């Protein structure tokens, strides 16, 4: 495997002399000449970075993992490019922040990764966009392989040619959501007998929680264009796992489902571990959607947050842990239970959700000007106090330096007045503005 990879990169070395393999990994350090070597045959996954960016540093070990794993299962090459040195390439690909992760194939195809930057999600993204939007399954056995991967995927069953309106719609939607989800198609009718109850073909399923859920074709309107818009809407709400980890980078996606977000708030440490009493609480919330899927699925998306900071910012208060937070995705209002969250039982939570749904639960937050201002105030004070807790010395410097500047400015204003009044005192200020200015200009 190693040799094959090196052999495939070697020509680039010889002809371009533009690449260097970074020491410990399969990540290729690229330069501005990258633009000259891209062609339709090679696929690249590239991290655009800047040496000073902390998020980029944090991504380094993950990036090495991504490179190793992708080399094993695909021919996608993994590289990184320093935008402070090779700014032309970064400008060409419209890189506006660091790190930016992009899949590039030839001159026309590029997809930007948006999501939580963990090894698994990045690899899945690369695998998805490197193939066609809909992957055809030929062996019925492959379905079992897919199921073993334990990730959400969509499956069309029926004749796969574009003359069938459902397939045409499915293909369009798959192209749109390709960076975000896996789409497969299968012509095999046996699938229906083996995996799900009788239904009419063609049809579309989503696989999650070890089960297939069928798209309700009766939802489709009469106009042919409706298929695509109804399917788009369905895919957009179904592409999440039943109980998904919500982070600041994917919360917008959840909000686009227009459902209530039911979030168990726990705290993950740096090793992504959650204390056992919080795990217990989180499982209790997860269990509710497992048991009452039929009742809640349509209007509630369940998930959990491992960073209390994010939850505090939504709730605009410091929540005790673990906690439960329900967010109305259309109005940005939120609900929190009145009982102590640790004492919540399965029944208490279902009653709480019911009261939210019949709009009798107390409502907080929202999008009014007052709330927005308060949110800004809360964000500022909480991030200042976080910084204080994290690094008191730095904070002192940060606060003291600006005040010194302020004093200096006040002082110079004051001096200026004195200057006007009495030219002889000029030297005391130690700031002969006129000459300085001219010297600099030259
Ligand atoms: C299906 O799409 C059509 C057209 O956008 C829309 O009018 C209709 O309400 C949709 N049906 C459902 C159930 O969402
Ligand atoms: C959010 O609140 C509005 C107004 O109270 C309500 O109409 C809507 O059904 C709520 N739920 C969601 C998921 O948007
Ligand atoms: C709303 O639901 C809660 C919980 O099930 C129930 O106690 C309450 O009576 C309901 N209120 C209305 C107005 O339906």
């Amino acid at each position: 495997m190693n040799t094959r990879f090196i052999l495939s990169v070697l020509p680039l070395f010889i002809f371009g002399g533009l690449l260097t393999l970074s020491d410990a990994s399969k990540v290729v350090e690229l330069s501005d000449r990258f633009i000259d070597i891209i062609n339709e045959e090679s696929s690249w996954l590239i991290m655009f970075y800047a040496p000073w960016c902390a998020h980029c540093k944090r991504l380094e070990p993950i990036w090495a993992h991504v490179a190793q794993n992708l080399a094993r299962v695909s021919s996608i090459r993994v590289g990184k490019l320093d935008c402070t040195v090779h700014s032309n390439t970064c400008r060409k690909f419209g890189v506006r922040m660091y790190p930016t992760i992009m899949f590039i194939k030839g001159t026309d195809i590029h997809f930007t990764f948006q999501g939580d930057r963990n090894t698994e999600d990045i690899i899945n993204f690369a695998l998805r966009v490197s193939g066609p939007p809909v992957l055809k399954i030929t062996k019925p056995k492959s379905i079992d392989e897919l199921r073993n991967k334990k990730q959400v995927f969509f499956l069309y069953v029926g004749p796969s040619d574009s003359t069938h309106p459902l397939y045409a719609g499915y293909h369009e939607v798959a192209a749109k959501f390709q960076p975000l989800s896996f789409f497969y198609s299968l012509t095999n009718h046996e699938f229906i007998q083996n995996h799900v109850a009788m239904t009419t073909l063609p049809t579309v399923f989503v696989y999650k929680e070890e089960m297939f859920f069928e798209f309700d074709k009766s939802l489709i309107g009469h106009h042919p264009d409706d298929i695509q818009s109804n399917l788009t809407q369905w895919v957009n709400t179904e592409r999440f796992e039943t109980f998904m980890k919500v982070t600041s980078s994917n919360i917008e996606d959840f909000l686009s489902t227009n459902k209530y977000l039911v979030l168990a708030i726990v705290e993950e440490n740096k090793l992504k571990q959650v204390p056992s009493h919080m795990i217990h609480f989180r499982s209790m919330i997860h269990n509710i959607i497992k048991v009452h899927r039929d009742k809640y699925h349509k209007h509630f998306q369940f998930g959990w947050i491992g960073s209390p900071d994010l939850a505090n910012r939504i709730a605009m208060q410091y929540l005790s842990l673990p906690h439960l937070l329900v967010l109305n995705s259309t109005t940005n209002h939120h609900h929190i239970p009145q009982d102590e969250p640790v004492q919540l039982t399965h029944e208490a939570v279902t009653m709480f959700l019911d009261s939210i749904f019949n709009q009798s639960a107390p409502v907080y937050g929202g999008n009014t000007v007052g709330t927005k201002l308060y949110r800004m105030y809360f964000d500022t004070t909480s991030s200042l106090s976080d910084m204080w807790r994290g690094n008191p010395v730095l904070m002192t410097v940060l606060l003291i330096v600006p005040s010194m500047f302020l004093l200096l400015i006040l002082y110079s204003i004051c001096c200026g007045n004195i200057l006007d009044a009495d030219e002889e005192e000029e030297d005391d200020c130690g700031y002969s503005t006129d000459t300085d200015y001219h010297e600099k200009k030259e």
Side-chain angles (χ1 to χ4, degrees):
M1 195 58 65
N2 262 342
T3 20
R4 217 178 66 199
F5 179 79
I6 290 177
L7 277 181
S8 62
V9 179
L10 210 56
L12 298 172
F13 271 81
I14 297 165
F15 296 119
L18 51 139
L19 309 163
T20 44
L21 264 184
S22 17
D23 308 338
S25 74
K26 295 181 188 300
V27 178
V28 183
E29 181 90 51
L30 297 162
S31 79
D32 257 345
R33 312 234 338 246
F34 172 67
I35 302 173
D36 304 329
I37 61 152
I38 46 176
N39 57 45
E40 307 302 325
E41 273 85 61
S42 57
S43 311
W44 285 90
L45 186 68
I46 297 174
M47 163 173 105
F48 294 94
Y49 72 101
W52 45 259
C53 134
H55 287 290
C56 305
K57 290 214 180 74
R58 230 166 291 145
L59 186 58
E60 285 285 343
I62 297 173
W63 204 240
H65 269 134
V66 168
Q68 264 165 10
N69 286 311
L70 278 179
R72 212 174 319 128
V73 298
S74 73
S75 60
I76 302 168
R77 289 169 186 162
V78 177
K80 59 178 186 174
L81 198 136
D82 182 347
C83 286
T84 58
V85 183
H86 309 289
S87 49
N88 277 345
T89 314
C90 301
R91 212 172 306 126
K92 182 175 178 330
F93 288 105
V95 173
R96 251 172 278 132
M97 56 174 200
Y98 308 122
T100 291
I101 297 175
M102 216 181 263
F103 175 88
I104 297 167
K105 187 176 186 179
T107 40
D108 299 331
I109 302 174
H110 41 92
F111 293 96
T112 306
F113 174 77
Q114 263 141 0
D116 199 36
R117 291 189 283 263
N118 61 64
T119 311
E120 196 190 347
D121 286 359
I122 297 174
I123 289 176
N124 281 336
F125 160 81
L127 293 177
R128 280 194 290 265
V129 296
S130 64
V134 177
L135 299 161
K136 282 200 168 65
I137 300 179
T138 42
K139 286 174 285 183
K141 186 167 117 259
S142 319
I143 287 283
D144 294 321
E145 282 162 25
L146 287 180
R147 296 170 61 153
N148 289 337
K149 283 196 199 155
K150 304 209 179 320
Q151 64 204 0
V152 177
F153 65 85
F154 293 91
L155 177 68
Y156 168 94
V157 186
S160 29
D161 61 81
S162 321
T163 52
H164 288 267
L166 189 62
Y167 184 78
Y170 182 72
H171 196 276
E172 289 284 323
V173 176
K176 190 148 66 183
F177 285 94
Q178 191 180 4
L180 302 168
S181 223
F182 285 104
F183 295 86
Y184 297 95
S185 75
L186 181 72
T187 36
N188 197 326
H189 292 218
E190 264 171 57
F191 167 80
I192 301 291
Q193 285 147 26
N194 294 342
H195 294 278
V196 289
M198 274 309 284
T199 181
T200 53
L201 295 183
T203 191
V204 180
F205 296 96
V206 62
Y207 178 82
K208 59 170 100 174
E209 294 273 320
E210 301 176 13
M211 274 190 283
F212 285 98
F213 299 98
E214 191 177 359
F215 169 62
D216 186 354
K217 280 169 285 178
S218 67
L219 292 181
I220 298 177
H222 296 297
H223 199 268
D225 289 345
D226 286 358
I227 293 186
Q228 203 183 314
S229 81
N230 297 139
L231 208 51
T232 301
Q233 210 186 345
W234 181 73
V235 166
N236 193 38
T237 56
E238 291 297 332
R239 66 197 172 91
F240 305 107
E241 280 163 36
T242 308
F243 194 68
M244 182 90 178
K245 181 178 179 184
V246 176
T247 64
S248 51
S249 51
N250 67 14
I251 191 162
E252 289 296 325
D253 297 343
F254 288 94
L255 293 175
S256 75
T257 60
N258 287 331
K259 291 186 185 185
Y260 286 105
L261 285 191
V262 183
L263 299 168
I265 318 293
V266 296
E267 181 159 36
E268 254 184 344
N269 65 13
K270 287 214 171 69
L271 298 170
K272 310 246 174 228
Q273 292 155 336
V274 177
S276 60
H277 70 289
M278 295 192 195
I279 290 192
H280 182 76
F281 179 80
R282 191 178 67 181
S283 313
M284 191 261 289
I285 302 294
H286 186 178
N287 201 38
I288 291 175
I289 184 64
K290 272 191 188 158
V291 177
H292 301 290
R293 188 180 197 276
D294 290 344
K295 182 172 171 193
Y296 292 121
H297 176 68
K298 191 155 185 244
H299 301 287
F300 294 86
Q301 167 68 47
F302 282 60
W304 63 282
I305 288 185
S307 135
D309 286 348
L310 175 60
N312 292 343
R313 259 188 286 137
I314 297 169
M316 295 178 288
Q317 56 173 290
Y318 291 100
L319 300 168
S320 61
L321 294 174
H323 216 106
L324 184 65
L325 180 72
V326 180
L327 196 60
N328 179 325
S329 56
T330 37
T331 61
N332 266 343
H333 284 111
H334 64 267
H335 308 269
I336 38 184
Q338 277 153 327
D339 305 327
E340 269 298 303
V342 257
Q343 282 158 14
L344 284 178
T345 58
H346 184 108
E347 289 70 33
V349 176
T350 53
M351 264 174 64
F352 174 55
L353 296 181
D354 293 343
S355 69
I356 289 171
F357 193 59
N358 71 16
Q359 305 201 341
S360 63
V363 174
Y364 308 94
N367 275 334
T368 60
V369 177
T371 319
K372 277 186 181 157
L373 284 177
Y374 183 73
R375 191 177 293 279
M376 250 156 72
Y377 165 77
F378 181 82
D379 284 355
T380 319
T381 50
S382 64
S383 51
L384 281 179
S385 68
D386 281 354
M387 281 163 73
W388 176 261
R389 263 180 284 145
N391 196 338
V393 179
L394 179 69
M395 271 304 278
T396 317
V397 174
L398 281 180
L399 286 180
I400 285 181
V401 169
S403 26
M404 301 244 305
F405 267 107
L406 199 71
L407 281 178
L408 230 117
I409 291 167
L410 288 177
Y411 176 70
S412 62
I413 291 172
C414 159
C415 261
N417 288 341
I418 294 168
L419 268 181
D420 287 345
D422 189 350
E423 289 209 344
E424 275 176 22
E425 287 193 11
E426 195 184 6
D427 280 347
D428 285 347
C429 291
Y431 198 75
S432 168
T433 38
D434 270 6
T435 45
D436 268 2
Y437 179 73
H438 287 300
E439 266 167 25
K440 269 187 201 134
K441 227 182 161 185
E442 250 101 65

